[in-house]
Amino acid sequence: MKVIVPSDDEFDFYACRKLYLKNKKSIGDDASFNFIIKHTFFYSFYDDKTLVGCIYLYQKREKLFMNGFAKRGFHKFNIEAVQKILNWFSCDIYAESFRKPAILVLLRCGFKRIKNSLFVYYNTKKGN
């Protein structure tokens, strides 16, 4: 698994944007792709040289939220990508989703449902 951020020379803006637009309805985010790139912690994930998905984190209601999008058929890869990100942060992370595949990834990564479509990952590394 390779992770590339927008400041990397290898970042493929157009491939990430294309994948975002393809999944925009299911993401539940009304922001433009340019806004997301500029105002979030944005990570693109590659399997060998193929873009599989992107995950971004942002502040909302004084909490850190996670959102993302990926190609279909990469469930296990997506779990590994989310787990990788969870290790990079030491605070609780929230996510909102109504899509079953995304919910399954969240639950398998240790998120807990706290409302209908709201989930939280209680990070045990807080304060370290």
Side-chain angles (χ1 to χ4, degrees):
M1 177 180 296
K2 184 174 184 178
V3 182
I4 299 176
V5 298
S7 60
D8 290 338
D9 290 337
E10 319 172 58
F11 182 71
D12 190 341
F13 175 88
Y14 297 103
C16 292
R17 182 177 177 274
K18 182 178 177 181
L19 188 60
Y20 172 77
L21 293 174
K22 182 177 180 181
N23 290 281
K24 187 169 176 146
K25 282 186 181 179
S26 64
I27 297 170
D29 198 331
D30 291 334
S32 73
F33 184 70
N34 288 342
F35 181 88
I36 290 170
I37 290 290
K38 291 179 184 175
H39 296 93
T40 70
F41 298 108
F42 189 93
Y43 307 95
S44 54
F45 291 85
Y46 288 77
D47 183 13
D48 295 320
K49 294 183 180 189
T50 304
L51 174 66
V52 173
C54 302
I55 298 174
Y56 56 99
L57 294 99
Y58 56 95
Q59 291 286 334
K60 180 178 173 182
R61 300 187 298 261
E62 298 181 22
K63 294 176 175 38
L64 187 63
F65 275 77
M66 175 187 289
N67 205 348
F69 48 95
K71 292 181 178 178
R72 296 177 59 92
F74 287 88
H75 185 75
K76 184 178 178 190
F77 185 93
N78 294 331
I79 290 171
E80 292 172 14
V82 169
Q83 288 172 334
K84 186 176 283 283
I85 284 185
L86 295 176
N87 286 318
W88 295 341
F89 292 86
S90 60
C91 60
D92 295 341
I93 299 176
Y94 293 79
E96 294 176 292
S97 184
F98 57 90
R99 306 273 305 167
K100 189 174 181 178
I103 291 169
L104 289 173
V105 168
L106 294 173
L107 294 174
R108 291 203 172 124
C109 289
F111 280 78
K112 306 292 181 206
R113 186 187 303 258
I114 55 177
K115 289 187 183 173
N116 288 341
S117 61
L118 182 62
F119 299 82
V120 63
Y121 175 79
Y122 294 111
N123 200 321
T124 58
K125 295 183 296 204
K126 285 189 276 190
N128 292 343

